[in-house]
Amino acid sequence: MNGRPRQRDGAASLTHVLDHVTAVRYVTPLREGGSMPGVVEGADLGTYVVKFRGAGQGLKVLVAEVVVGELARRLGLPVPRLVTIDLPSAMARYEADQEVQDLLNASPGTNLGVDLLPGALGYDGSRPPDADLASRVLWLDAFTANVDRTWSNPNLLTWHRQTWLIDHGAALYFHHSWPSRAPDPQRFADQPFRVGSDDHVLGGVASDLTGAHADLAPLVTTDLVRDVLDQVPEEWFETTDHLPDAPAVRTAYRDHLLARVRTPHVWLPGGAA
Ligand SMILES: Nc1ncnc2c1ncn2[C@@H]1O[C@H](COP(=O)(O)OP(=O)(O)O)[C@@H](O)[C@H]1O
Ligand SMILES: [Mg+2]
């Protein structure tokens, strides 16, 4: 099933979408995470950290996870494999914990699965990535307005001597205004990055943000962004008066990302040409 190509909307080109897995067993909740993700076994024998569609944060958080995670992957940053995962309704019945049972019952259909990195350690600064990787991660966070990679919430794992990026649900927060306001890509492009280099968990390691921008920004093309957005299950896109269907929502994300990549002088820490 790996990289299974699927034809979309009768388009001539083939698009790779996330692998789809059926859950077979709920193993344990990860209570340190704010959204209470859970460890789940898949029918493919994989083990996944599942971000549930029924968690309080809603579907937009899952969209941000896929858009930023898959963007990061295409830019060469280490991100655990993402899948979509279905929970059979029977699974909730065998769950003794009421809070978990409620979450499973609220999450029928497609959820997000993140490949579990067994034995991974939460990032504590004792094994920092090299300055080049740190600069690229900080660039990604500034570009996607990810406010959630600070010392209080590093959202980095150390696994096999490598730094891995997780939890991009807080990025792209512009979409939370969509129910009440028309999408405005330029507004996003004009917004500085709110996390200072002292607060960002890699602020002390990153050294060359201008170089990271010079390397990565040219890769953020219309085609690459379209490919990233094609990974998001259509049913996660919430429509509004201004965004009447999934293609409109997808286009709005594309326009926001393409507008912002052109304004590094606004959002890149230290500024950039
Ligand atoms: N792929 C993974 N492999 C191993 N542990 C993970 C993985 N993803 C998340 N975790 C663990 O679960 C915690 C919560 O996950 P996270 O994605 O940060 O969720 P939340 O949105 O609730 O903060 C992480 O801090 C980490 O300890
Ligand atoms: Mg987290």
Side-chain angles (χ1 to χ4, degrees), residues 172-192:
L172 310 181
Y173 52 77
F174 58 80
H175 56 187
H176 294 291
S177 73
W178 283 352
S180 56
R181 197 164 52 207
D184 186 350
Q186 197 56 43
R187 185 185 161 94
F188 182 51
D190 290 340
Q191 260 162 9

Side-chain angles (χ1 to χ4, degrees), residues 29-39 47-51 57 61 65 79-82 112-123 148 153-157 159 164-170:
L30 287 167
R31 290 191 191 272
E32 76 259 44
S35 60
M36 206 165 78
V39 177
T47 309
Y48 299 94
V49 172
V50 173
K51 303 295 206 63
Q57 290 79 355
V61 172
E65 287 267 16
V79 182
R81 174 173 161 258
L82 302 181
L112 176 68
V114 185
D115 196 22
L116 178 91
L117 306 181
L121 300 173
Y123 183 79
D148 218 0
N153 215 358
N155 287 321
L156 292 174
L157 298 176
W159 188 66
W164 292 76
L165 282 62
I166 59 163
D167 192 0
H168 300 105

Side-chain angles (χ1 to χ4, degrees), residues 4-132:
R4 171 177 45 108
R6 184 191 292 170
Q7 199 137 12
R8 231 178 229 289
D9 305 328
S13 64
L14 289 176
T15 308
H16 287 273
V17 298
L18 299 180
D19 287 344
H20 187 69
V21 173
T22 301
V24 293
R25 191 167 77 95
Y26 183 91
V27 182
T28 187
L30 287 167
R31 290 191 191 272
E32 76 259 44
S35 60
M36 206 165 78
V39 177
V40 167
E41 280 175 12
D44 63 347
L45 306 181
T47 309
Y48 299 94
V49 172
V50 173
K51 303 295 206 63
F52 295 99
R53 62 183 296 147
Q57 290 79 355
L59 288 170
K60 288 198 172 71
V61 172
L62 303 189
V63 174
E65 287 267 16
V66 173
V67 173
V68 179
E70 291 301 316
L71 175 67
R73 187 188 321 288
R74 281 157 183 72
L75 299 178
L77 299 173
V79 182
R81 174 173 161 258
L82 302 181
V83 300
T84 50
I85 189 158
D86 262 352
L87 307 176
S89 54
M91 202 175 236
R93 285 205 292 276
Y94 297 109
E95 185 50 51
D97 183 319
Q98 188 63 49
E99 202 184 349
V100 172
Q101 196 178 93
D102 291 347
L103 190 54
L104 295 177
N105 279 326
S107 305
T110 307
N111 297 270
L112 176 68
V114 185
D115 196 22
L116 178 91
L117 306 181
L121 300 173
Y123 183 79
D124 63 2
S126 62
R127 283 173 185 266
D130 63 38
D132 183 52

Side-chain angles (χ1 to χ4, degrees), residues 214-230:
D215 288 346
L216 298 180
L219 304 179
V220 183
T221 60
T222 307
D223 282 351
L224 180 124
V225 172
R226 185 180 297 132
D227 177 35
V228 164
L229 289 166
D230 277 343

